[in-house]
Amino acid sequence: MSLVCRSFRCLERRTRTSLTLRGNARDLHILPTCFRYVTDLDLSLVSPWGHALFAASTSHQSDPQQQAIELRNAFPRVTSLTLYARSPVTLHLLLLIPWPNLRHVKLVRWHVRPPASQPGADFADLFHRCRSLTSLDLSSFYHWPEDLPPVLAANPITAASMRRLNLLTTSFTEGFKSHEIQQITAWCPNLEHLLLACTFDARYLGYVGDETLTAIASNCPKLTLLHLGDTASLSNRRGNPNDSGFSDEDARISRATMVEFFSGLPLLEELVLDVCKNVRESCFALEVLNSKCPRLRTLGLRQFHGICLAIGSQLDGVALCQGLQSLSVANCGDLNDMGLIEIGRGCSRLVKFHVQGCKLITEKGLRTLTCLLRKTLVDVKVSCCLNLETFAALRALEPIRDRIERLHVDCVWNGMKESDDGLGQSLLNFDLNKLEDEQCFGHDFASMDSEGTSQNKRQRCSYSPPPEEVEIDDSLMQSNGNGYWGTTWDKLKYLSLWIGVGDMLSPLPMAGLEDCPSLEEIRIRVEGDCRGKPKPSETEFGLSILACYPNLSKMQLDCGDTRGYALTAPSGQMDLSLWERFFLNGIGTLSLDELDYWPPQDEDVNQRSLSLPAAGLLQECYTLRKLFIHGTAHEHFMNFFLKIPNLRDVQLREDYYPAPESDMSTEMRVGSCSRFEYALNRRQISD
């Protein structure tokens, strides 16, 4: 509208506060200077992606220092900056004249840390020159844990003013050690948000245990968000559904320490503990969490056991955290159906529920939880649960089909030939008898006990709720005769799928996801080792079946965890180019506006490159407006995309660790990117 209306153009310039630059760094001399009111500036996606911001310019103005000053002057009111800082020089130039009110900085770097760089060199200028800094995000910044503490120690005033610190960096192999965490929290006592990568494995020096947790609570009592993630949890891989949920080692975290830890953080609103080592007998500590942290709304637990004992009719453990709106549990080895039901009864405000790697839960328990939370639950993830393959998980979600908005399931087709077992009719048999002392909600679930569970721990109970405590719609007690309440996912807008290499996507509609009229975005992650896999019996993976979703416009097809042979494969096996042909066959039948694609990789040569068949098949997506390849590609393969008529935005992003330092001579380089973007931008776009 600004192109045809001067008054609207003036209004747009004066009111726009957020801007992401996607131009080429060679064109900094024609940078627009009319957006004087922008406060949130993102420079991390400037082309060529991953290269130094002030090194790619070929204009008449070749002085990098002058270019940095002009960029700073073009946006004088910046308070939040996102920057791809491949070397300390970029930030040094940009802060020659620092923004006076710069409060938040996010640094991005997927390339390895420059070997000649001194410890802390990436952050020295930032902390020295930006005295107003209160927030730093290094979650996507490749650095070493020992880089930050010396800088904090050298700048105590800036460190004390920090309110938010995100150090959950996925490139770490060991994370921050215990003494480093104690130092960081001591130097930043006013932190409100803290996210840290660490290790809870007691076999490593500097592991996080009782002493570290106590120090965090003592040093930073104002925390409202705390996320401690073991580096093992940062991996994107799914795990083995046959695992028991118990690790070989226990975390050195005692029940008394957890009680003290929760008591010292009364302002917590969000807590995530991805421990990856056994935390046993956590029930009592979680009950204390409810009383000591009354503002808690989001909770994530990994490898915690005994989170909900479900003994008799009394609520216990995490089920007492009645203010929770989001709950994620992973690898809870003893969480069963009775525990799920307790959670559904107690956490009646849950909007988001994610469960992963819990071997004992079944369709019955999940189905009852969704019935109990029918009025609030809109975001569900079910992953890596042995008894909840795709068909069972989707059947369990039938009570909220018409309400759910975001969903993740694993594509495991073990139950394709199993007929419906009538769970929709037999599960909810309520006995509205009174208990002697209290009225609660419950069912006859004694038959759902796992093998080896003693009767004194899982008692048969029948009880009923007062109307205001738990309500179940009468319609949930009825089905259409086949155990189904409906077949339409009316409000589902986002669908995430995991699928193993060699499996087909084709059965997805048969599993119950055939009618999703509002689905706009889908993410598909393909994981596994192609090496040794037989040639698929079908010619295509099954993307064409997604054409049944009329409003689908965005797709993320992530084959980054698919491993194979990038070069010549052994006799009788397929190389990655043939696997890409299999994955992408049929994508041209979809009416996509935006596509993110991660090519499969060859770990031996650290190569993720777009193949010729993949480029040819992506070229058939005639409706695309945006295309982002998260890998490398040959220049002549990229030229295929010039035939997509309305394509406006294309970029290669090597956003994985470690990004290759220098591309091969035949792949995209700075000059190649510039030539392609020039050819793309000079085309006439019909609309």
Side-chain angles (χ1 to χ4, degrees), residues 509-520:
M510 296 170 51
L513 281 168
E514 70 280 3
D515 195 355
C516 304
S518 302
L519 186 64
E520 300 173 353

Side-chain angles (χ1 to χ4, degrees), residues 1 14 21 46 61 71 142 152 156 177 191 207 224 248 304 320 335 358 370 382 435 440 472 532 569-570 578 615:
M1 196 169 173
R14 294 182 64 87
L21 291 185
V46 173
Q61 181 58 265
L71 177 61
Y142 199 125
L152 294 175
K177 299 187 184 302
L191 283 177
Y207 70 91
T224 60
D248 296 333
F304 277 66
L320 287 176
L335 180 65
C358 296
T370 57
V382 182
L435 283 180
C440 301
I472 292 194
L578 297 180

Side-chain angles (χ1 to χ4, degrees), residues 451-506:
E451 295 182 6
T453 304
S454 60
Q455 290 298 323
N456 64 337
K457 286 191 176 181
R458 299 291 184 268
Q459 301 175 4
R460 183 185 182 95
C461 50
S462 300
Y463 32 82
S464 61
E468 67 274 11
E469 181 180 349
V470 179
E471 296 182 7
I472 292 194
D473 197 327
D474 290 340
S475 64
L476 296 183
M477 304 301 295
Q478 302 174 358
S479 69
N480 62 10
N482 296 320
Y484 289 83
W485 287 292
T487 59
T488 302
W489 304 74
D490 293 321
K491 297 183 180 180
L492 185 65
K493 296 182 179 180
Y494 174 85
L495 177 62
S496 173
L497 303 171
W498 175 95
I499 189 166
V501 166
D503 291 337
M504 308 294 295
L505 193 62
S506 309

Side-chain angles (χ1 to χ4, degrees), residues 178-299:
S178 175
H179 70 277
E180 293 171 335
I181 296 175
Q182 295 180 46
Q183 291 173 353
I184 291 172
T185 54
W187 289 322
C188 306
N190 296 309
L191 283 177
E192 297 173 1
H193 290 193
L194 176 62
L195 299 91
L196 275 168
C198 55
T199 179
F200 290 90
D201 193 337
R203 296 173 295 181
Y204 289 86
L205 293 175
Y207 70 91
V208 171
D210 288 343
E211 182 183 358
T212 312
L213 294 185
T214 303
I216 292 174
S218 175
N219 294 336
C220 301
K222 299 179 183 179
L223 284 175
T224 60
L225 184 156
L226 177 61
H227 186 155
L228 299 178
D230 192 286
T231 52
S233 69
L234 303 179
S235 171
N236 199 30
R237 295 182 180 176
R238 174 174 176 257
N240 186 356
N242 292 309
D243 288 345
S244 64
F246 293 91
S247 62
D248 296 333
E249 301 287 333
D250 288 355
R252 300 295 175 87
I253 302 175
S254 66
R255 186 171 70 174
T257 297
M258 282 196 290
V259 172
E260 182 182 357
F261 177 61
F262 297 148
S263 301
L265 298 172
L267 303 180
L268 270 185
E269 298 176 8
E270 181 173 344
L271 174 64
V272 180
L273 298 174
D274 284 328
V275 178
C276 293
K277 298 297 174 186
N278 300 321
V279 181
R280 302 179 187 272
E281 300 178 356
S282 60
C283 181
F284 176 73
L286 294 175
E287 293 177 2
V288 173
L289 176 64
N290 173 61
S291 60
K292 299 298 183 181
C293 305
R295 300 183 182 182
L296 191 67
R297 297 294 178 265
T298 300
L299 179 62

Side-chain angles (χ1 to χ4, degrees), residues 25 48 170 267 338 369 399 504 565 642:
T170 55
L267 303 180
M338 288 300 295
L369 178 136
M504 308 294 295
Y565 299 103
L642 298 175

Side-chain angles (χ1 to χ4, degrees), residues 106-107 110 137-141 166-171 657:
K106 178 177 181 179
L107 298 181
W110 298 88
D137 186 345
L138 302 178
S139 58
S140 299
F141 188 73
N166 188 343
L167 304 177
L168 202 65
T169 310
T170 55
S171 64
Y657 291 113

